[in-house]
Amino acid sequence: MTTLRRTLTWTASAFLLAASLTGAAAQQSVLRIGLAEDPDVLDPTRGRTYVGRIVFASICDKLFDIDDKLNIVPQLALSHETSADGLTVTIKLRPGVKFHDGEAMDAEAVRFSLDRHMNMQGSFRRPELSAIDKVEVVDPLTVRLVLKQPFSPLLSQLTDRAGMIVSPKAARELGERFGSTPVCAGPYRFVERVQQDRIVVERFADYWNKDQVTIGRIEYRPIADATVRLANLRSGQLDLIERALATDIPQIRANAQLRMAVGVDLGYQGVTLNIAKSDAGKQAFGRDPRIIQAFSLAIDREALNQVVFNGAAMPGNQWINPQNPYYQSRFPVPQRDIARARQLMQAAGVTGPLAVDFMVPNNPEVRQIAEVLQAMTAEAGFDLKIRVTEFATSLQEAEQGRYQAYMLNWSGRTDPDGNLFSFHGCRQPLNYSGYCNPAADALLNEARTKTDPAERKAVYEKLTEILLAEGGIVYLYHRPVVIVHAARLEGFRAFPDGLVRVVGLRFRGN
């Protein structure tokens, strides 16, 4: 009896140990990523958020991608060739690629997806691909893009959502509901989404590069408070977080259990001003461009950098950072000039404090920035009424013009056109300010046709002069992109666009 009891006890202990090890292995195979916001719709045609792009990186491969040096490299494409006149781009596709529903990713699927991006109601990709006249299927693995005119940003656009290819079968069946159950050709397939709680994806067994995908499951968890995200990472509840606070960099570096990558984003943080989106805009910044200029001159960008970021951000006044070769050095970051700002306000007919509905996404760091701006601009005669709004809701409010100033960042693109055209072009989908100037439109379109960088930069110089005087965005700084992960997560590479590429990631020991 004693022997039997010992045998049973040992067997139970062994079973519990095995179960524990199995549970640990299973847990090790789940990558938990903390996001600063909950993404908008998970449809590459209609998506517009930075965190959405992070999720798309796991589920929707693109025709092209960028490497860590900003070079454009093939992904679903194998190669491309541009005709001498710049009007035809022929793309060879990778063979043997499948969508998550088992359908083949071929030239017809590429034609369907690009047509969907260009023509679907509510598409945010339309201006990014507006130079394409038609997409032709040459053979099952070759597509030809016929352009209306030479279009220098084309390949750059195809490294982002405009280059994501969706399953035609799923898109037709789901219609408007595609964003709730996206079907693409990425390393992970969509499993579920609980708004404001989690997005879950699982490893796709038939992925074309499956040998490089070792983690079985990814859970994206939106946590708006950066301090809470970091605390969850330190405690082991998360494995990777994006946009850690610059002020937390010293303690992150001192933690042997954490690893960090820091860079300057390709985009910008700025205040979008309602100029002509709605009647609300006409009551404030739409009254006179001198009010816009006064608002910009009231801001001390370097002081903002020191107070909020401990100097880790890069002050700026353009849609690209000062390190970018397209930065216009003839228009340097302005120094704060309260006296001049007050003169401009007086010249514009503003006699008392100008009340401004200032919409701010619900994020602690962004709220702090808003409070600093509130104090600075008050000295020039502005009365910013901060209205904290959930991020997705703020985008809807901006679309409808229900705001006067909006604290909004853009994560940036490798080509300057991706930071400009859709925000300043007349009636473009991301032009929340309602700004429209035919002269600026002509320059935006002219820059797209220039392939010589010097000629293109000269066009942008003329555009810069116009937009800094009257455009609907006051640019403030270029934020530090701080991504932190647990030391046991290996294979992470930092990319200039700040996105998390999941291919190649693994846990130590897996």
Side-chain angles (χ1 to χ4, degrees):
M1 191 71 174
T2 302
T3 302
L4 177 60
R5 186 180 294 112
R6 287 176 179 169
T7 301
L8 290 173
T9 301
W10 181 88
T11 303
S13 298
F15 175 79
L16 290 172
L17 177 61
S20 174
L21 291 174
T22 301
Q27 181 68 17
Q28 193 80 350
S29 134
V30 178
L31 173 62
R32 298 152 305 177
I33 297 178
L35 304 176
E37 299 106 11
D38 197 31
D40 61 346
V41 61
L42 295 180
D43 181 339
T45 301
R46 298 188 294 136
R48 54 188 161 167
T49 59
Y50 169 62
V51 284
R53 294 172 66 220
I54 293 176
V55 176
F56 282 134
S58 68
I59 59 177
C60 294
D61 274 7
K62 305 158 289 189
L63 289 172
F64 299 91
D65 199 0
I66 63 167
D67 65 14
D68 54 3
K69 304 298 183 186
L70 279 181
N71 298 307
I72 295 175
V73 296
Q75 193 171 62
L76 291 177
L78 280 180
S79 63
H80 77 281
E81 182 178 347
T82 303
S83 62
D85 60 7
L87 295 178
T88 302
V89 179
T90 303
I91 300 174
K92 294 287 185 181
L93 302 175
R94 188 178 298 281
V97 178
K98 291 183 180 180
F99 291 111
H100 301 150
D101 59 3
E103 296 289 304
M105 197 295 298
D106 56 14
E108 177 56 34
V110 172
R111 185 205 61 77
F112 173 89
S113 295
L114 294 182
D115 280 352
R116 184 175 187 265
H117 290 328
M118 292 187 290
N119 300 311
M120 181 178 175
Q121 181 72 25
S123 171
F124 287 102
R125 309 285 81 81
R126 186 178 293 115
E128 299 168 5
L129 300 175
S130 60
I132 298 178
D133 182 39
K134 58 183 176 179
V135 182
E136 299 176 339
V137 174
V138 178
D139 60 47
L141 291 176
T142 310
V143 291
R144 181 185 297 121
L145 311 185
V146 180
L147 309 184
K148 302 169 187 174
Q149 59 189 21
F151 186 49
S152 53
L154 178 60
L155 289 188
S156 171
Q157 303 288 23
L158 297 178
T159 67
D160 204 80
R161 284 166 293 203
M164 292 178 186
I165 308 304
V166 305
S167 164
K169 178 183 176 183
R172 290 188 180 108
E173 289 177 352
L174 293 168
E176 288 290 323
R177 295 178 293 109
F178 181 83
S180 63
T181 314
V183 179
C184 296
Y188 290 82
R189 65 176 188 86
F190 176 83
V191 174
E192 69 167 342
R193 178 176 191 176
V194 178
Q195 294 283 348
Q196 300 296 331
D197 182 70
R198 65 185 180 275
I199 295 171
V200 180
V201 300
E202 288 183 347
R203 184 175 181 268
F204 179 46
D206 291 327
Y207 182 56
W208 61 268
N209 195 19
K210 62 184 177 183
D211 291 344
Q212 295 298 312
V213 183
T214 60
I215 294 172
R217 183 181 179 97
I218 303 176
E219 295 178 359
Y220 297 93
R221 296 192 172 272
I223 302 173
D225 192 313
T227 301
V228 176
R229 284 201 305 281
L230 181 58
N232 274 266
L233 178 64
R234 284 200 304 253
S235 68
Q237 300 303 305
L238 294 173
D239 304 298
L240 182 147
I241 62 173
E242 54 97 10
R243 272 180 287 174
L245 296 177
T247 50
D248 286 334
I249 288 176
Q251 64 167 294
I252 293 169
R253 284 182 172 146
N255 191 327
Q257 302 304 311
L258 301 179
R259 299 290 182 269
M260 178 178 61
V262 182
V264 177
D265 70 1
L266 296 174
Y268 60 82
Q269 179 81 53
V271 180
T272 298
L273 308 176
N274 186 343
I275 294 175
K277 190 73 171 177
S278 66
D279 288 341
K282 297 170 187 175
Q283 298 167 18
F285 296 100
R287 289 164 53 181
D288 192 312
R290 287 172 291 192
I291 299 175
I292 299 171
Q293 297 163 25
F295 185 81
S296 179
L297 285 171
I299 299 168
D300 187 330
R301 290 162 172 80
E302 183 53 45
L304 182 70
N305 178 30
Q306 295 298 330
V307 169
V308 181
F309 299 103
N310 280 357
M314 182 178 292
N317 65 324
Q318 298 174 31
W319 41 89
I320 41 155
N321 69 54
Q323 295 176 345
N324 192 296
Y326 281 101
Y327 183 80
Q328 300 294 330
S329 57
R330 188 162 76 86
F331 305 95
V333 178
Q335 297 294 312
R336 189 183 195 219
D337 190 339
I338 285 295
R340 178 61 179 155
R342 288 171 177 165
Q343 290 172 0
L344 288 168
M345 293 286 276
Q346 186 176 13
V350 181
T351 56
L354 181 63
V356 176
D357 171 34
F358 188 19
M359 184 168 62
V360 177
N362 188 16
N363 175 292
E365 184 177 76
V366 177
R367 291 201 305 268
Q368 183 184 4
I369 295 163
E371 289 166 1
V372 174
L373 294 179
Q374 184 183 52
M376 287 180 175
T377 59
E379 296 182 45
F382 293 92
D383 180 14
L384 300 187
K385 309 288 190 181
I386 297 175
R387 173 164 58 98
V388 178
T389 309
E390 191 273 323
F391 179 61
T393 302
S394 74
L395 292 173
Q396 296 169 5
E397 292 281 282
E399 273 189 356
Q400 299 300 317
R402 291 193 289 263
Y403 80 101
Q404 290 178 314
Y406 180 22
M407 193 75 198
L408 183 65
N409 74 282
W410 178 246
S411 55
R413 301 295 180 267
T414 58
D415 189 280
D417 181 84
N419 291 359
L420 265 172
F421 190 90
S422 200
F423 302 90
H424 295 286
C426 295
R427 294 172 294 282
Q428 293 302 324
L430 295 176
N431 185 347
Y432 299 137
S433 73
Y435 174 75
C436 183
N437 180 336
D441 252 27
L443 292 168
L444 284 166
N445 284 293
E446 182 183 356
R448 290 181 143 196
T449 68
K450 301 295 184 183
T451 55
D452 179 80
E455 292 180 5
R456 201 170 176 214
K457 186 172 183 179
V459 175
Y460 282 139
E461 182 178 13
K462 299 175 186 176
L463 181 65
T464 303
E465 187 165 18
I466 295 174
L467 294 184
L468 293 187
E470 65 176 34
I473 300 175
V474 171
Y475 301 96
L476 300 179
Y477 62 88
H478 308 275
R479 66 185 176 185
V481 180
V482 185
I483 296 177
V484 190
H485 63 86
R488 65 192 181 91
L489 180 66
E490 300 178 331
F492 176 80
R493 295 171 61 201
F495 285 78
D497 59 5
L499 300 187
V500 179
R501 270 73 170 176
V502 294
V503 172
L505 292 183
R506 61 192 178 277
F507 286 110
R508 186 178 299 143
N510 275 18

